[in-house]
Amino acid sequence: MSIPAIEANSLTKEYSNGRGCRDVTITVGKGEAFGFLGPNGAGKSTFVKMLVGLIHPTGGSASLLGHKIGTLEAKMKIGYLPELYRYQEWLTGEEVVRLHARLCRIDKTVADQRIPQLLNEVGIGQRGRDRVKHYSKGMQQRLGLACALVNEPEIVFLDEPSSALDPIGRMEVRGILERLKERGITIFLNSHLLEDVEVLCDRMALLNNGLILRHGTVSEILNKRTSWHFKVGGFSPFLLSWLNDFTGLSITISSGEDKHERDSLQGTDPDSGIVWMEAELESEEQVGWLNAVFIEQGLTLYEVKRKKERLEEWFMDAVSGLSHRGERE
């Protein structure tokens, strides 16, 4: 059996103020991208700091690629970009990465070749010659990503890696992470930017008040609803009641619950009889049958697509009604 990249069993860190996390059990396979979600103050950073060896757990156990967390063998396998970072502002970006290379005992010849490549990859390029004091927060975050990757880690822990970046920067960093994943590097991503998790990650877990509430694959979570959208032409209002009676289904006219959904349901013209219809179905076979019913009734079928639940909706539903410790409690 393959040794998992990350394995935590009832990992716990308790503080006197009630913060921390309790009995967290997860397994992350090699080459997998894992998203760790939760409101501010949920205990996500505490959990990551235990895994990378910065704080000691008060209970449970964990290992990285078979090595106990906190050991030199485990630390040699990882890269880490913390949420809060500060780099020596009197150094250039290149000098900061070179310092991290020396701390990782990387041969100078190897570092000379690797560092310019890394600076280009994270979007710093020639600005690696500028001093850090002239870097924006987003540039410093890119620099931190280069430092996390300088030792060519097998596991990368990223705590809010896009929080200081503009939309273009977030897209560029997401591209970097996708390339890392293609190379078989395990990614553990703490992020409140749910779109990043939705696009990049294979599985995820939701933490609240130090406890895991839910976990599963991204595809399971986003596809758990079985609503379908049908764009049809030739529709008339009286037909809707007949369709519901004939099929025994709940079929409605959909205009979109939010802006994201409305944007995806373009091209309607009720005056011309072109509308989007929505139905909750049990299987793709039922989708095919409903397509046939529409066509038999003289409707023109333009498009059919599954309605996916967005990760933001899942997240809000999961934490709705729960208490949260928040940042200041």
Side-chain angles (χ1 to χ4, degrees), residues 51-157:
L51 292 179
V52 302
L54 290 177
I55 58 178
H56 295 290
T58 53
S61 62
S63 61
L64 305 178
L65 295 166
H67 303 290
K68 183 179 178 181
I69 57 171
T71 62
L72 182 60
E73 291 82 1
K75 292 178 180 179
M76 290 174 64
K77 303 286 186 179
I78 67 174
Y80 174 48
L81 174 60
E83 181 180 13
L84 300 175
Y85 48 84
R86 287 185 68 90
Y87 301 108
Q88 298 86 343
E89 62 178 17
W90 59 90
L91 295 179
T92 67
E94 182 178 335
E95 288 170 338
V96 170
V97 183
R98 193 170 296 279
L99 172 62
H100 282 76
R102 291 179 63 187
L103 292 172
C104 293
R105 300 180 182 178
I106 297 173
D107 182 84
K108 184 179 182 301
T109 303
V110 175
D112 288 342
Q113 181 178 3
R114 188 178 300 167
I115 291 173
Q117 294 174 349
L118 271 177
L119 292 175
N120 284 328
E121 185 174 7
V122 301
I124 292 178
Q126 295 300 313
R127 289 209 59 193
R129 300 171 183 174
D130 295 348
R131 298 192 186 281
V132 173
K133 66 180 179 181
H134 299 304
Y135 282 10
S136 66
K137 188 174 181 182
M139 285 288 288
Q140 291 191 43
Q141 198 158 36
R142 293 172 184 269
L143 180 62
L145 186 57
C147 292
L149 299 176
V150 72
N151 63 326
E152 295 191 329
E154 296 182 48
I155 308 173
V156 180
F157 292 93

Side-chain angles (χ1 to χ4, degrees), residues 50 86 113 167 178 201 229 245 277 292 301 317:
M50 284 191 287
R86 287 185 68 90
Q113 181 178 3
E178 288 173 342
C201 294
H229 283 134
D245 291 340
M277 306 182 73
L301 189 63
D317 177 65

Side-chain angles (χ1 to χ4, degrees), residues 156-260:
V156 180
F157 292 93
L158 304 168
D159 203 344
E160 303 290 0
S162 302
S163 60
L165 301 174
D166 59 23
I168 294 176
R170 288 200 297 271
M171 187 178 300
E172 290 173 348
V173 168
R174 192 186 304 157
I176 294 170
L177 300 183
E178 288 173 342
R179 290 192 291 275
L180 293 176
K181 184 179 176 183
E182 289 172 359
R183 284 157 43 189
I185 295 173
T186 303
I187 299 172
F188 192 96
L189 178 63
N190 268 10
S191 182
H192 70 279
L193 298 173
L194 304 184
E195 183 180 355
D196 290 347
V197 175
E198 183 175 337
V199 171
L200 181 71
C201 294
D202 305 297
R203 291 190 302 123
M204 65 179 74
L206 173 63
L207 196 73
N208 187 62
N209 291 341
L211 296 171
I212 286 186
L213 297 182
R214 301 183 186 179
H215 59 86
T217 68
V218 175
S219 59
E220 288 171 348
I221 289 168
L222 296 184
N223 290 327
K224 71 177 185 178
R225 290 185 181 175
T226 55
S227 291
W228 289 78
H229 283 134
F230 303 82
K231 184 179 180 182
V232 300
F235 178 81
S236 57
F238 78 87
L239 187 59
L240 185 61
S241 177
W242 182 88
L243 283 171
N244 280 283
D245 291 340
F246 177 75
T247 62
L249 301 171
S250 174
I251 303 173
T252 59
I253 304 301
S254 179
S255 58
E257 298 175 359
D258 56 27
K259 183 179 184 301
H260 175 81

